[in-house]
Amino acid sequence: MPLEAVMVCMDNSEYQRNGDYSPNRLIAQRETINHIALSKTESNMESTVGLLTMAGKLKVLAAPTRNLGSIMTELKSVNMRGKCDFLAGIKTAQLALKNRQNKNQHPRIIVFVGSPIETDMKKLTKLGAQLKKNSYAVDVINFGKENAQNTNVEKLEAFINAVNNEDNSHLVNVPPGPHNLSDMVASTILGSVPQTGGFGASGTGGSNLSNGGAIAGAAAGAGGSGAQDNTEEALLAYALRISMEEARDRQQKPEGATAENSKMEEEKKEETVKEESSKMEIDNVGDDEMDEEAELAAAIALSMADEEVDAEDEGGKEEAVGGDDEAMLSVLKEEKFIEDLIDSTGVQKDDIDIQKLLDFSEEDEGKKDEDDDGQN
């Protein structure tokens, strides 16, 4: 198949609650979109598939990608709400494909319509002409009982006629009844089964499926059964690949968890060692401070003791000096000492009145004592 970038527009309106396609229209669309995404990516290794919803708040769930897991995950999160806006969905898909990374991919839009289209035919044909001008291919799957009786078929035929270029666009009108939507779409959109018998090609470049035609096509010859077998094999191979990847992830997770646990234990040990070392440092610092304080107190005590001893020594010296002075004065007052002193000088005793000298020394002492008392 050609290299393509495919954008799938999903109808998630309230009409999808209907159970005419088992189990309901929304789940039938999920299965069909999974089938389309798998077939497109398996047919070409560079093809990509994207997804958007058209009802309620229009939203691009996945840009064109080869990661089928992300598309399946987004499909499970789709809920039914509001009405389907066919025109806005096509324009949003066109914009998403315009910004594709690989410009060599041929853009294709696949649209599921499971509710009435309220847009008038003039706007649809104008949009189809614009898509044709930009080389877009469009496939439309119109399904549901009410859509077989309303104006959907007429509007969609006009739209496909406007966009069709060398039979690159198709319209599939799936008849009402308990059918497998994915099988019927695969036989036409994906080209698994030639459009013969019950799947007769319409003049609009699409396919009209009747009840008899659907049954005949489902029970077609070897070509149809062979294509279905190939599809089942591809689905089985994809399921096996997914299961192997999940098993690998489960095996890797315990190893990663063990490594993380061991790393956490090492970090805890390092933190414990750091805390203990910090505590020891604090204790050592405390001991050093205590030792310094004790030494300082001892030094202060010693200095105070030395000062007391020095004060006592000075007091003793002063007392000794005072005692010596008094002894000397008492000696000087003795007449015998004075007479000996006079004899040693060679002066005659008769010339000196010893009593006057003694009286003079006593008067001098009295004056000194008075001067000391005045200063104090």
Side-chain angles (χ1 to χ4, degrees):
M1 293 182 71
L3 175 62
E4 290 182 333
V6 181
M7 202 70 190
V8 181
C9 302
M10 185 177 184
D11 186 352
N12 61 321
S13 63
E14 295 292 342
Y15 284 88
Q16 307 315 303
R17 298 184 187 278
N18 200 315
D20 52 352
Y21 297 92
S22 179
N24 58 39
R25 293 182 185 180
L26 185 67
I27 296 177
Q29 281 188 84
R30 289 178 183 172
E31 295 175 354
T32 307
I33 292 170
N34 281 333
H35 189 89
I36 291 172
L38 178 62
S39 299
K40 290 291 185 182
T41 53
E42 290 290 339
S43 63
N44 193 304
M45 297 305 294
E46 295 184 7
S47 294
T48 56
V49 180
L51 178 67
L52 65 85
T53 55
M54 298 187 294
K57 184 178 180 180
L58 195 145
K59 185 178 181 182
V60 177
L61 300 178
T65 179
R66 289 190 57 82
N67 186 0
L68 299 183
S70 64
I71 295 176
M72 292 180 181
T73 302
E74 295 295 340
L75 279 172
K76 291 180 181 179
S77 65
V78 174
N79 297 319
M80 291 175 279
R81 59 182 67 187
K83 295 181 179 180
C84 177
D85 192 343
F86 179 83
L87 195 66
I90 295 291
K91 290 182 178 180
T92 305
Q94 180 185 5
L95 183 61
L97 292 174
K98 182 180 179 180
N99 296 322
R100 65 190 183 277
Q101 294 181 351
N102 188 356
K103 299 300 181 181
N104 294 325
Q105 295 173 325
H106 299 287
R108 178 176 293 276
I109 302 173
I110 299 177
V111 190
F112 286 83
V113 181
S115 58
I117 297 175
E118 298 179 355
T119 308
D120 57 31
M121 192 179 299
K122 186 177 180 180
K123 291 182 179 179
L124 291 176
T125 54
K126 183 179 179 181
L127 177 61
Q130 184 181 0
L131 291 171
K132 181 179 180 179
K133 181 180 179 180
N134 295 317
S135 301
Y136 281 79
V138 182
D139 295 326
V140 181
I141 298 99
N142 182 40
F143 63 100
K145 183 178 180 180
E146 67 278 1
N147 295 332
Q149 300 171 356
N150 58 18
T151 58
N152 274 19
V153 176
E154 183 181 358
K155 291 179 179 180
L156 291 174
E157 285 179 354
F159 173 73
I160 291 296
N161 282 333
V163 74
N164 191 27
N165 184 16
E166 297 181 359
D167 199 26
N168 67 342
S169 301
H170 307 88
L171 169 63
V172 180
N173 292 311
V174 181
H179 302 305
N180 191 338
L181 185 61
S182 62
D183 290 345
M184 303 183 78
V185 171
S187 64
T188 52
I189 298 297
L190 302 178
S192 298
V193 181
Q195 296 181 3
T196 58
F199 299 99
S202 67
T204 62
S207 300
N208 291 320
L209 304 180
S210 62
N211 285 329
I215 297 171
S225 61
Q228 188 173 2
D229 292 340
N230 292 334
T231 303
E232 290 179 355
E233 289 178 0
L235 289 171
L236 180 60
Y238 179 72
L240 290 173
R241 186 174 64 188
I242 293 296
S243 62
M244 290 176 66
E245 290 178 357
E246 290 178 352
R248 192 183 304 114
D249 292 338
R250 285 195 297 269
Q251 290 177 357
Q252 291 176 356
K253 282 182 180 179
E255 295 178 358
T258 304
E260 291 179 358
N261 292 333
S262 61
K263 188 176 180 180
M264 290 176 65
E265 290 179 357
E266 291 178 358
E267 291 178 354
K268 288 182 179 179
K269 290 180 179 179
E270 292 178 357
E271 290 178 357
T272 304
V273 172
K274 289 180 179 179
E275 289 178 358
E276 291 178 354
S277 62
S278 62
K279 288 181 180 179
M280 292 175 65
E281 291 177 357
I282 291 170
D283 293 338
N284 293 333
V285 170
D287 294 339
D288 295 339
E289 292 179 352
M290 293 292 290
D291 294 339
E292 291 177 357
E293 291 178 358
E295 291 177 357
L296 180 61
I300 292 171
L302 289 173
S303 62
M304 292 176 68
D306 292 338
E307 290 177 356
E308 292 178 355
V309 171
D310 293 339
E312 291 177 355
D313 293 340
E314 290 178 356
K317 288 180 180 179
E318 291 177 354
E319 292 177 355
V321 171
D324 294 338
D325 293 340
E326 291 178 356
M328 290 178 67
L329 289 173
S330 60
V331 171
L332 290 173
K333 290 179 180 180
E334 294 180 358
E335 292 182 2
K336 186 178 181 180
F337 174 75
I338 293 172
E339 289 177 356
D340 294 335
L341 181 62
I342 291 170
D343 292 336
S344 64
T345 57
V347 179
Q348 296 296 324
K349 295 180 182 179
D350 296 334
D351 296 335
I352 298 171
D353 191 352
I354 296 173
Q355 188 62 39
K356 288 183 179 180
L357 289 173
L358 293 175
D359 295 338
F360 178 76
S361 63
E362 289 178 357
E363 290 177 359
D364 191 18
E365 285 181 5
K367 289 181 180 180
K368 288 181 179 180
D369 291 338
E370 290 177 359
D371 292 336
D372 292 336
D373 293 338
Q375 291 178 358
N376 293 330

